[in-house]
Amino acid sequence: MSQFLAPKIVFLKQGTDTSQGKGQLISNMNACMAVVDIVRTTLGPLGMDKLIYSDKGSSHSAEVTISNDGATIVKLLDIVHPAAKTLADISLSQDAEVGDGTTSVMVLAGEFMKNCKEFVEDGMHPRVIIKGFRAAQKYAIDKLNELAVDIHGKDEAERKELLVRCAGTALNSKLVSHYKDFFAPMVTDAVLSLDDDLDLSMIGIKKVQGGSILDSLLVKGVAFKKTFAYAGFEQQPKKFENAKIILLNIELELKSEKENAEVRVTNTQDYQAIIDAEWNIIYEKLEKIYATGAKVVLSRLAIGDLATQFFADRDVFCAGRVPEEDLERVQRAVGGRVQTTVNGVTADVLGTCELFEEKAIGGERYNVFTGCLQSSTATIIVRGGSEQFMAETERSLHDAIMIVRRAIKHSEAVGGAGSIEMELSKHLRDHAVSIQGREQTILLAYAKALEVIPRTLCDNAGFDSIDVMNKLRAKHAQGGTWYGVDIKTGGICDAWEEFIWEPSLVKTNAIVAATEAACLVLSIDETVKNPASEQDQMDQAGMLPGGRGAGMPPMGRGRGMRRR
């Protein structure tokens, strides 16, 4: 008796594209590894830079970005493959959480997938690989925490010196690595000047084109570029000591009546009263502001020429259209409160600082508030010859700031230069000997993948990676825990003795994020692509709502049309 199988019915919209099975899994892994290959060459002190050209329709509106920062490159790349985009998103979580190590996450995740690819091709179930990877991650993190060294320091001077070394290691792989001895103390001073909450928004980075990069400076206070100035601005004083500061969200400018405004008058006196009313309103506001005793007036909205001249006549400084970010920092630093009205202003809503002055920095003029007693803040003013170079310097300093900030909160560090990865790889190999079965194979693959960091450092520097890796394996087998790649000589060195330190949190987060990314891609066995909507299909085909197809000439005189 023949047996009939019921037909398979799938309730999916017509045009849905589905791909599944081993082929789809390998395809996803290949797409992720292709993205990894783009950022791989940026890893390390001698990594190469990427020039990303974003064409916005014309050469005048195009943006050119030169960077070796992994997070910046991933953000600017227009990744469309869903699996590769997932890998990029997970790597960006490293930048958001720690601030550095995005490239390491990408490279590690790519190597994990590369080493387990042959297992998938041989028919091993992805869940077995995922289980092995998660076990290997646990062993690696436990060993890393065991090896981490507390660098809190005995006193403030020693603590600062240790933090400067961490900042220098973060800057090693950046475009400004040659100036790390200049920027590392500056970054450390900026972070140490903050309050206990270490709020990152209280550190401002401003760019002033021109001059040498060594002309960059740290202002222990708030500094922002001089705002748009009206007539009478140059008559205002530009320096105050222990001045009161009032912060406003009020427009101090004469405004014309509404277009539809209509007023009926019967005599000229009434007409003049209407004209004077507008002036009386703004003068009343200005008098109330002056009566508070404030010597510096800042507003988020415009301060017109009438108000500017009014304040100049009374030796008061004013600035309108102050950027919201800068006004927020001034508010927190000087202790003031932004006011939306000038009625009933009390002394407790005014801020104060030891010194306010407007001074020239390069070709720009900056308003600088120092000696802020309420909340500590800092501003780093970056100088440089080109906009692209200053933008990359800003990104480099941001990573270093994040590293110092994390090192203060979590004062444990490990050796850099690939030393911690080599030690963890050795530990996993030794542990794999004690277990049997497929987990041993997966553990060895995970251990081999960790070696990609020192190997890539060698490749990017032009060294013989095979020779260096053999020396490192031998040294770690003999107990050289902190031996890593020596970028200066092309050999190996004790990273801890060379002060190449990184917060252990950076490495922990990188290993966890990379493992998570690899396991996520391995867990996908089918990709379903929903069809585009009818409107999207019409747009892609060049269809118009009127039924005209793609490639048809526009309405009007065309070939074959008779002129009347």
Side-chain angles (χ1 to χ4, degrees):
M1 182 177 178
S2 61
Q3 189 174 12
F4 296 96
L5 296 175
K8 184 179 180 182
I9 302 174
V10 181
F11 293 97
L12 295 176
K13 190 174 180 181
Q14 184 177 2
T16 301
D17 179 26
T18 61
S19 304
Q20 59 183 346
K22 184 192 300 184
Q24 179 60 26
L25 178 55
I26 293 174
S27 173
N28 288 341
M29 295 167 71
N30 289 337
C32 292
M33 287 187 282
V35 175
V36 171
D37 288 338
I38 296 175
V39 300
R40 184 191 301 272
T41 56
T42 67
L43 185 71
L46 301 182
M48 304 298 287
D49 299 330
K50 303 293 181 185
L51 189 150
I52 301 174
Y53 179 84
S54 302
D55 190 0
K56 293 187 176 180
S58 66
S59 58
H60 298 291
S61 61
E63 289 185 0
V64 175
T65 304
I66 301 173
S67 178
N68 69 352
D69 180 58
T72 303
I73 296 170
V74 170
K75 288 175 185 175
L76 292 175
L77 289 176
D78 190 11
I79 301 174
V80 296
H81 193 281
K85 190 171 179 61
T86 301
L87 171 62
D89 291 341
I90 293 176
S91 68
L92 289 176
S93 70
Q94 171 82 1
D95 183 64
E97 179 66 23
V98 184
D100 196 17
T102 312
T103 308
S104 299
V105 173
M106 298 280 285
V107 172
L108 278 173
E111 197 68 11
F112 288 152
M113 294 180 206
K114 179 181 176 182
N115 285 2
C116 71
K117 185 179 174 182
E118 59 179 289
F119 301 154
V120 176
E121 292 173 340
D122 290 342
M124 185 180 292
H125 197 281
R127 280 296 163 193
V128 177
I129 303 174
I130 292 172
K131 182 181 178 182
F133 273 7
R134 295 200 187 281
Q137 173 197 307
K138 184 179 182 304
Y139 295 137
I141 297 301
D142 290 344
K143 182 64 176 178
L144 191 149
N145 293 332
E146 179 186 327
L147 293 171
V149 179
D150 193 345
I151 59 168
H152 190 274
K154 299 177 183 176
D155 52 34
E156 287 299 320
E158 184 179 358
R159 181 188 182 209
K160 180 180 176 181
E161 184 182 356
L162 299 174
L163 292 173
V164 167
R165 290 170 183 169
C166 287
T169 303
L171 291 170
N172 259 337
S173 61
K174 306 299 181 185
L175 192 66
V176 292
S177 58
H178 297 298
Y179 307 100
K180 69 175 183 178
D181 293 335
F182 175 74
F183 280 115
M186 182 185 294
V187 165
T188 306
D189 286 338
V191 178
L192 289 177
S193 67
L194 298 181
D195 293 332
D196 293 338
D197 60 352
L198 298 177
D199 188 355
L200 193 64
S201 64
M202 295 303 285
I203 297 180
I205 301 180
K206 305 295 181 182
K207 302 187 289 288
V208 180
Q209 193 165 353
S212 165
I213 190 172
L214 296 177
D215 293 331
S216 303
L217 68 148
L218 172 67
V219 176
K220 291 190 176 180
V222 182
F224 58 86
K225 186 179 176 182
K226 180 180 83 71
T227 58
F228 181 83
Y230 287 90
F233 177 80
E234 296 302 336
Q235 301 172 28
Q236 295 178 354
K238 301 298 188 292
K239 184 175 181 180
F240 293 104
E241 292 182 1
N242 298 316
K244 293 181 179 179
I245 304 164
I246 186 169
L247 310 172
L248 303 172
N249 189 21
I250 304 172
E251 194 170 37
L252 299 175
E253 197 171 20
L254 281 169
K255 284 292 182 181
S256 60
E257 295 83 3
K258 299 293 183 182
E259 294 179 1
N260 297 329
E262 180 179 343
V263 179
R264 295 179 182 272
V265 296
T266 56
N267 53 61
T268 56
Q269 288 80 8
D270 292 343
Y271 176 73
Q272 186 62 42
I274 293 170
I275 298 298
D276 293 342
E278 189 179 43
W279 290 76
N280 292 335
I281 291 171
I282 189 169
Y283 271 118
E284 184 182 355
K285 289 180 180 179
L286 297 176
E287 289 289 355
K288 288 181 178 179
I289 293 172
Y290 178 66
T292 62
K295 285 295 184 181
V296 178
V297 180
L298 304 180
S299 179
R300 186 178 286 117
L301 302 178
I303 296 179
D305 48 4
L306 173 67
T308 303
Q309 188 64 55
F310 178 91
F311 289 130
D313 294 341
R314 290 158 179 78
D315 290 334
V316 176
F317 176 89
C318 71
R321 295 196 182 97
V322 178
E324 187 168 354
E325 175 193 351
D326 294 324
L327 195 67
E328 175 69 21
R329 289 177 59 221
V330 172
Q331 174 185 342
R332 295 178 59 181
V334 303
R337 296 291 182 271
V338 176
Q339 302 297 300
T340 56
T341 179
V342 294
N343 296 319
V345 176
T346 55
D348 61 320
V349 300
L350 301 180
T352 183
C353 67
E354 292 180 0
L355 178 65
F356 163 79
E357 60 180 333
E358 180 180 296
K359 61 182 188 178
I361 300 176
E364 305 286 354
R365 286 161 67 179
Y366 269 73
N367 299 327
V368 181
F369 300 80
T370 53
C372 304
L373 304 178
Q374 295 298 320
S375 180
S376 299
T377 181
T379 305
I380 298 175
I381 298 177
V382 176
R383 305 293 306 279
S386 68
E387 187 66 34
Q388 289 87 357
F389 183 78
M390 288 191 298
E392 179 63 8
T393 302
E394 180 183 5
R395 289 188 286 267
S396 303
L397 294 181
H398 173 267
D399 285 4
I401 288 169
M402 291 292 287
I403 287 298
V404 174
R405 183 167 169 263
R406 286 297 176 187
I408 292 174
K409 288 187 174 183
H410 305 273
S411 59
E412 291 184 335
V414 294
S419 61
I420 185 64
E421 286 83 5
M422 288 299 299
E423 185 63 21
L424 293 179
S425 178
K426 168 186 168 292
H427 171 69
L428 290 177
R429 290 178 196 274
D430 294 342
H431 180 74
V433 178
S434 64
I435 58 177
Q436 298 178 354
R438 290 179 294 184
E439 188 177 351
Q440 183 191 59
T441 310
I442 298 168
L443 208 62
L444 290 172
Y446 193 97
K448 182 182 177 183
L450 288 173
E451 293 184 351
V452 71
I453 299 296
R455 187 169 67 247
T456 305
L457 292 176
C458 294
D459 292 338
N460 291 346
F463 302 150
D464 184 353
S465 60
I466 297 176
D467 180 52
V468 174
M469 293 301 292
N470 285 335
K471 289 180 180 178
L472 282 176
R473 291 190 192 102
K475 202 69 180 178
H476 279 265
Q478 297 167 8
T481 304
W482 300 122
Y483 271 82
V485 181
D486 189 346
I487 293 297
K488 297 177 184 176
T489 64
I492 63 175
C493 68
D494 190 322
W496 196 264
E497 294 296 329
E498 293 291 328
F499 305 121
I500 307 173
W501 301 349
E502 295 187 66
S504 62
L505 185 69
V506 175
K507 292 300 181 183
T508 302
N509 215 76
I511 292 173
V512 171
T515 307
E516 190 64 36
C519 292
L520 184 61
V521 173
L522 282 167
S523 67
I524 300 170
D525 72 335
E526 183 172 1
T527 302
V528 180
K529 183 180 179 182
N530 290 326
S533 65
E534 186 177 347
Q535 184 62 43
D536 292 339
Q537 291 175 351
M538 291 172 63
D539 293 340
Q540 293 171 7
M543 299 292 291
L544 298 175
R548 298 180 56 79
M552 294 191 67
M555 297 295 288
R557 276 190 209 128
R559 186 176 298 175
M561 295 187 68
R562 180 180 299 174
R563 179 182 298 176
R564 295 185 180 231

